[in-house]
């Protein structure tokens, strides 16, 4: 068996050998706990048929685990200082492609077309926390063929992704995640599983993409515009939030009528509405 990269000793050794300096701006907190890695790979249900995209391989600890279980791994890393290190630590694997790029600039639809004939792939990552939301929303909104996304994120973000109406964590992110996928929190992960240690707790979350969204909405973009407006001033009533945050695009009386037609009280706040209710409301408003 090839030596594990994910241990405190081996990670220190690799970092020392290359005189590697951790870059805070890239969100570099490397996993040093092999149990957590196993849990990520198991919960992502990776097998030898799978093509996996990993975002931010670091020094390769998760990449190694993925390569041993998947058919192929494509790892996209922004930091050029890590590329020679990865070529060394992963030299014994022939099923890994490393791409030195900013994930937010990669055309993932094209990549999946080239690597898996456009068939859905799995995304697995210990994400750089400063861009968690743009990465996940990019995968969803750009219709990248993805079966599931299993990622380490800040615990607080995982809680927001899975939040239910009426709770403090509930917001635009919860609704977007619920529209595109089924979220499941796999594990909470404490700071001592990383090098260097982050200040906050982390969690692994799996988002299994809906094959077809359970929600029927005439205009997705319009619904998300309504959702963002509703949460822009979350302490205000929905009528006032929509009126104030849509640049007076909608007349107050019409908003009230639509809210009532949705079956809601006109004093309701946005945070009380389920995804279905936002979809109904946006369909009614769109008809006008
Ligand atoms: N996968 C490794 C592990 O678990 O030990 C490293 C995870 S670390 C939290 C995040 C990684 O993402 C770092 O290697 C960092 O350089 C990389 N990264 C940061 N921003 C990125 C971007 N825009 N595109 C691709 N990789 C990025």
């Amino acid at each position: 068996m090839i030596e594990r990269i994910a241990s405190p000793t081996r990670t220190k050794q690799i970092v020392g050998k290359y005189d590697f300096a951790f870059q805070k701006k890239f969100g570099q907190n490397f996993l040093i706990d092999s149990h957590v890695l196993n849990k990520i790979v198991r919960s992502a249900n990776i097998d030898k048929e799978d093509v996996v995209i990993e975002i931010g391989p670091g020094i390769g600890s998760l990449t190694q685990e993925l390569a041993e279980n998947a058919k192929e791994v494509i790892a996209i890393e922004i930091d050029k200082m890590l590329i020679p290190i990865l070529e060394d630590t992963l030299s014994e694997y022939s099923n890994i492609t490393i791409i030195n790029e900013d994930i937010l600039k990669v055309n993932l639809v094209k990549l999946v077309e080239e690597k898996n004939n456009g068939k859905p792939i799995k995304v697995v990552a210990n994400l750089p926390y400063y861009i968690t939301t743009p990465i996940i929303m990019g995968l969803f909104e750009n219709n990248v063929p993805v079966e599931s996304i299993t990622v380490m994120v800040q615990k607080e973000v995982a809680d927001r992704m899975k939040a239910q109406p009426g709770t403090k964590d509930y917001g635009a992110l919860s609704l977007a995640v619920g529209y595109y996928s089924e979220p499941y929190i796999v594990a909470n992960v404490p700071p001592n599983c990383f090098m260097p240690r982050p200040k906050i707790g982390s969690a692994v979350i799996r988002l299994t993409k809906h094959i077809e969204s359970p929600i029927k909405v005439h205009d997705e973009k319009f619904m998300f515009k309504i959702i963002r407006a509703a949460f822009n001033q979350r302490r205000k009533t929905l009528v006032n939030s929509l009126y104030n945050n849509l640049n007076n695009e909608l007349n107050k009386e019409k908003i009230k009528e639509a809210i009532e037609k949705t079956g809601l009280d006109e004093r309701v706040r946005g945070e009380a509405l389920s995804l279905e209710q936002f979809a109904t409301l946006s369909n009614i408003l769109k008809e006008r």
Side-chain angles (χ1 to χ4, degrees):
M1 187 163 137
I2 304 169
E3 195 187 350
R4 300 292 91 183
I5 298 167
S7 76
T9 332
R10 181 92 172 100
T11 300
K12 267 192 209 137
Q13 206 181 52
I14 296 167
V15 166
K17 178 174 169 191
Y18 287 91
D19 207 10
F20 175 75
F22 288 94
Q23 298 266 3
K24 223 176 169 168
K25 68 169 180 193
F26 289 145
Q28 290 173 343
N29 298 95
F30 298 164
L31 262 169
I32 50 168
D33 186 312
S34 59
H35 296 107
V36 176
L37 286 178
N38 286 332
K39 201 154 196 177
I40 297 176
V41 176
R42 254 186 292 127
S43 66
N45 290 320
I46 304 296
D47 64 35
K48 282 289 170 196
E49 306 273 289
D50 284 318
V51 173
V52 177
I53 291 185
E54 187 197 2
I55 299 157
I59 57 169
S61 47
L62 177 56
T63 327
Q64 174 178 48
E65 216 55 49
L66 290 168
E68 290 192 357
N69 290 279
K71 180 169 93 176
E72 198 184 344
V73 183
I74 301 138
I76 301 162
E77 173 56 62
I78 195 170
D79 187 353
K80 65 175 188 317
M81 304 306 276
L82 287 167
I83 307 304
I85 305 183
L86 286 163
E87 278 161 6
D88 175 11
T89 57
L90 302 171
S91 62
E92 305 202 39
Y93 298 89
S94 56
N95 58 344
I96 302 174
T97 308
I98 295 161
I99 301 176
N100 184 202
E101 256 295 359
D102 176 350
I103 184 68
L104 298 177
K105 295 191 179 142
V106 177
N107 183 339
L108 290 170
V109 174
K110 195 166 149 230
L111 189 65
V112 176
E113 189 57 53
E114 284 163 11
K115 295 286 184 184
N116 206 29
N117 296 321
K119 289 199 299 287
I121 50 89
K122 288 176 180 167
V123 172
V124 182
N126 171 16
L127 285 180
Y129 292 171
Y130 73 106
I131 43 169
T132 300
T133 309
I135 290 174
I136 291 180
M137 292 314 295
L139 288 165
F140 286 147
E141 287 173 351
N142 299 328
N143 288 320
V144 180
V146 161
E147 197 176 318
S148 63
I149 303 170
T150 307
V151 281
M152 179 86 72
V153 297
Q154 288 175 20
K155 174 157 183 348
E156 170 231 324
V157 176
D159 291 341
R160 275 169 39 215
M161 286 181 181
K162 215 187 144 14
Q164 295 301 311
T167 61
K168 73 169 177 21
D169 291 331
Y170 187 60
L173 182 63
S174 336
L175 285 151
V177 163
Y179 179 71
Y180 290 107
S181 71
E182 178 69 41
Y184 172 74
I185 296 188
V186 174
N188 288 326
V189 183
N192 63 7
C193 295
F194 301 87
M195 188 186 292
R197 290 184 187 192
K199 288 202 179 68
I200 34 168
S202 304
V204 178
I205 190 164
R206 182 183 64 217
L207 310 174
T208 307
K209 187 125 183 257
H210 296 312
I211 293 168
E212 209 175 304
S213 178
I215 304 299
K216 297 284 164 264
V217 62
H218 303 331
D219 185 338
E220 235 172 74
K221 279 212 169 80
F222 182 69
M223 178 179 75
F224 282 111
K225 199 166 149 185
I226 299 283
I227 290 174
R228 275 193 301 274
F231 285 96
N232 224 334
Q233 292 174 293
R234 62 185 295 149
R235 306 310 300 162
K236 287 210 178 337
T237 62
L238 181 59
V239 178
N240 285 332
S241 294
L242 295 188
Y243 182 67
N244 295 340
N245 293 294
L246 291 170
N247 305 324
N248 302 342
E249 221 175 271
L250 296 168
N251 159 315
K252 218 170 199 174
E253 280 315 306
K254 300 272 183 230
I255 301 175
K256 272 190 196 164
E257 256 175 52
I259 289 178
E260 275 167 18
K261 226 173 147 190
T262 308
L264 298 160
D265 189 291
E266 68 166 68
R267 286 160 306 177
V268 74
R269 286 187 185 148
E271 62 191 15
L273 270 67
S274 65
L275 180 58
E276 289 85 342
Q277 287 169 323
F278 270 114
T280 309
L281 178 65
S282 102
N283 288 344
I284 294 171
L285 284 169
K286 193 72 198 179
E287 275 166 19
R288 288 163 186 275

